[in-house]
Amino acid sequence: MKTSGILSWRTAGLLLAVLVIVALPYVVTRTSAQDTERAAAWVAHSSEIKAMTYQLAYLARDSESASYRLLAGDANEKVEQRVALFGRQAPALIGQLRAMTRDNPDQQMRIGAVDNAMTGRIALLSQAHSRLQQGDAAGARQSLRDAGDLFPINAEIAQIVHNEDVLLEARQAAARQKAINGRIVLAVTALAQLFLLAVLVLMSERQIGKRLLAESREGRAVQRSQMIFHAVREPIALFDRNLHSLLVNSAFGELYGVDATRASVPLAEIGNGAWTDSVLLQRLKDVLSRDRELWDHETIQRTADGMERSVVINARRLRQEGDDAPTLLLTVSDVTVRALAEHEVNELNRQLEGKVSQISDVNRELEAFSYSVSHDLRAPLRHIAGFARKLEQHLGDQVDEKSAHYLEVIGSSAQRMALLIDDLLVFSRLGRGALRLQGVDMQSLVDEARALVESGVEDRRIVWTIAPLPMVIGDENMLRTVWQNLLGNAVKYTGQCEVARIEVSVQQGRHGNYEFTVSDNGAGFDMQYADKLFGVFQRLHRASEFPGNGIGLANVRRIVARHGGRVWAEAEPGQGARFHFSLPATDAAGAGIESEA
């Protein structure tokens, strides 16, 4: 990466040097030539404007002179053409002057003045000519005098020419300055060329020195590579296209009894027949001819020590730069110990599967037992509640205060027992039902659970802090139960707080799992009894303080465990509690647990 960066900088520097040495003089010369051409064009432009201005003045004077000749009686066709020529050509010349001086407002103004004067002169000359034809020589002479007196043009003509001379001088001065600048740039360019050539020579010398140093380092690196190659304890060998050895390391030589310094040994003759398997040899040839890599080919070989070993063979084709002949890199891993260990692990797994099957049978029996007991308890419970009501009705007004209290205790106890049985059935179903895995929006579940628990405590002040929560893979109904129990407990155990503060947050665990936390500032509990929190019908507070049956957290633990997570809690008495549960960030764990369910 570093070498490629250095090469790119060198290439950029070389290109810059070429640009300065070759392109810059060309640009300067071309710019100078363009400036010269532009200056010549401006000279021609100014000369053309001056010529047209002089021509316009000449036509005016010539027409006036011809008119006086007509007045003197020297009339002929040529003189009359001279008089008429001014009226025909003057407007066209004025238009051309206007077009050529469009970029010069001052000249446009003066040309406009000349245009007005020429128009007046043309009108008066035409009037003089008309009076002369009518025999009014005095009137014609007066018209000619008026044309010269009322519409003078000499000053404007001279000013137009003067302006063009001033512009031409300024443009020539600018052209001379550009020529000087161009010579300065050429001189600087020549100095830069000399400097860059000197830099290139120095860099070439340094590059040659670096290359010699790199070749020396490369030679030492090759020696170190050979030392490492022979020091590696994994057998490695390099073969040519005919499967003759080019290079083998010491480990390969020790394993198969071949001299590591000896080259060009056929693979089939190495290891006293260890490589005579025709199928393996054909696959190695396919690696060379078709570039098919051989991965983790496991076989049994008899090695130089006479033992049969389980080995894993990997092979791939290598092609050196500038060499069309492919080579084969062969690595061998002795996995005899691993194979024996795998056999033992397989045996232990078989035994473990038997134990798991037995445990699953026991769990199913326990669940069936709890379900049956729950159903069987309902009948006598209904009898107790029913006969207590009948006894109360039978006694009627004869019930004294103590008897009424006894009947009330019997009824409330039966009702509580019914709730406990219902909770036990729910707990049993959580262990038996199949997970319906799907994408679950935990944010929506928390909002739903929050709205549910707030509906029963409208008169309380609760401050909620809920962080953005992710999507997870799980059973939506079961996870809804988790949030309802945790948020319900947070609301319940902050009932004695003036302002309840409940926070829901999430963070990424060390193993990539999501860890959700529900914190409150409620009653808390003593951590020495924390192991009882998630047991069935286990409670750390009296029912008179906080109502409940003590099965909600047991349901939470069972649901989270079935999703591949765990539940734990932290608290201090009177300082609130923090309940945590983790869920896998992907559906891998959940899929595995679903198969167990």
Side-chain angles (χ1 to χ4, degrees), residues 49-59 61 157 161 165:
I49 290 175
K50 290 167 61 177
M52 294 178 68
T53 304
Y54 287 138
Q55 184 179 0
L56 188 61
Y58 168 76
L59 286 174
R61 293 190 184 91
I157 293 292
V161 172
D165 289 337

Side-chain angles (χ1 to χ4, degrees), residues 426-447:
V426 171
F427 185 76
S428 175
R429 281 195 295 270
L430 288 177
R432 291 182 289 105
L435 292 176
R436 292 186 291 274
L437 297 178
Q438 59 182 340
V440 180
D441 185 359
M442 301 295 268
Q443 194 80 48
S444 299
L445 292 187
V446 169
D447 293 340

Side-chain angles (χ1 to χ4, degrees), residues 38 40 64 66-67 73 100 107 199 218 254 261 271 273 298 315 343 395 449 489 542 544 595:
R38 195 177 297 112
E64 186 176 356
S67 296
M100 294 178 69
Q107 291 289 70
V199 170
E218 184 178 355
E254 292 174 2
T261 60
E298 191 166 350
H343 178 72
L395 294 176
N489 279 356
R542 291 193 301 273
S544 59
S595 63

Side-chain angles (χ1 to χ4, degrees), residues 77 155 230-231 466 504:
E77 183 178 358
H230 287 287
I466 301 177
V504 179

Side-chain angles (χ1 to χ4, degrees), residues 244-400:
H244 288 188
S245 64
L246 296 174
L247 185 66
V248 299
N249 69 345
S250 300
F252 192 93
E254 292 174 2
L255 185 63
Y256 295 103
V258 61
D259 187 359
T261 60
R262 183 183 172 190
S264 193
V265 178
L267 179 61
E269 298 179 6
I270 293 176
N272 297 325
W275 297 91
T276 56
D277 184 0
S278 59
V279 175
L280 177 58
L281 290 174
Q282 183 59 45
R283 295 192 65 177
L284 294 177
K285 291 178 181 177
D286 289 342
V287 172
L288 280 168
S289 60
R290 303 181 184 180
D291 197 14
R292 293 181 177 178
E293 296 187 9
L294 180 64
W295 290 104
D296 296 338
H297 178 78
E298 191 166 350
T299 186
I300 297 176
Q301 292 181 336
R302 183 177 295 276
T303 55
D305 55 5
M307 294 180 58
E308 288 190 350
R309 298 178 180 272
S310 295
V311 296
V312 173
I313 300 171
N314 289 280
R316 62 176 300 177
R317 186 175 74 174
L318 300 180
R319 191 183 295 275
Q320 295 181 348
E321 187 176 355
D323 187 1
D324 293 334
T327 56
L328 179 75
L329 178 65
L330 185 69
T331 61
V332 181
S333 300
D334 186 357
V335 295
T336 305
V337 176
R338 191 190 74 182
L340 294 175
E342 287 179 354
H343 178 72
E344 293 179 1
V345 169
N346 291 333
E347 181 62 24
L348 291 175
N349 285 337
R350 186 185 64 78
Q351 297 176 8
L352 182 60
E353 288 174 359
K355 297 294 182 182
V356 170
S357 177
Q358 294 176 10
I359 293 173
S360 298
D361 292 339
V362 171
N363 285 335
R364 282 193 292 270
E365 290 174 2
L366 287 175
E367 290 174 0
F369 174 74
S370 63
Y371 186 77
S372 176
V373 167
S374 300
H375 277 74
D376 293 342
L377 287 177
R378 286 181 179 276
L381 188 61
R382 284 195 299 270
H383 292 162
I384 293 171
F387 279 101
R389 287 194 303 272
K390 286 180 179 294
L391 180 58
E392 184 179 6
Q393 293 172 1
H394 177 70
L395 294 176
D397 295 337
Q398 300 177 8
V399 179
D400 58 10

Side-chain angles (χ1 to χ4, degrees), residues 390-465:
K390 286 180 179 294
L391 180 58
E392 184 179 6
Q393 293 172 1
H394 177 70
L395 294 176
D397 295 337
Q398 300 177 8
V399 179
D400 58 10
E401 184 177 350
K402 184 175 290 187
S403 299
H405 174 68
Y406 291 161
L407 289 172
E408 183 182 357
V409 171
I410 293 172
S412 62
S413 298
Q415 185 178 4
R416 177 170 172 76
M417 185 64 182
L419 292 175
L420 291 175
I421 291 172
D422 289 339
D423 290 341
L424 187 60
L425 286 174
V426 171
F427 185 76
S428 175
R429 281 195 295 270
L430 288 177
R432 291 182 289 105
L435 292 176
R436 292 186 291 274
L437 297 178
Q438 59 182 340
V440 180
D441 185 359
M442 301 295 268
Q443 194 80 48
S444 299
L445 292 187
V446 169
D447 293 340
E448 180 182 335
R450 171 186 171 181
L452 181 64
V453 298
E454 280 184 330
S455 63
V457 290
E458 297 177 352
D459 58 337
R460 287 182 50 191
R461 184 181 175 190
I462 303 176
V463 177
W464 295 88
T465 302

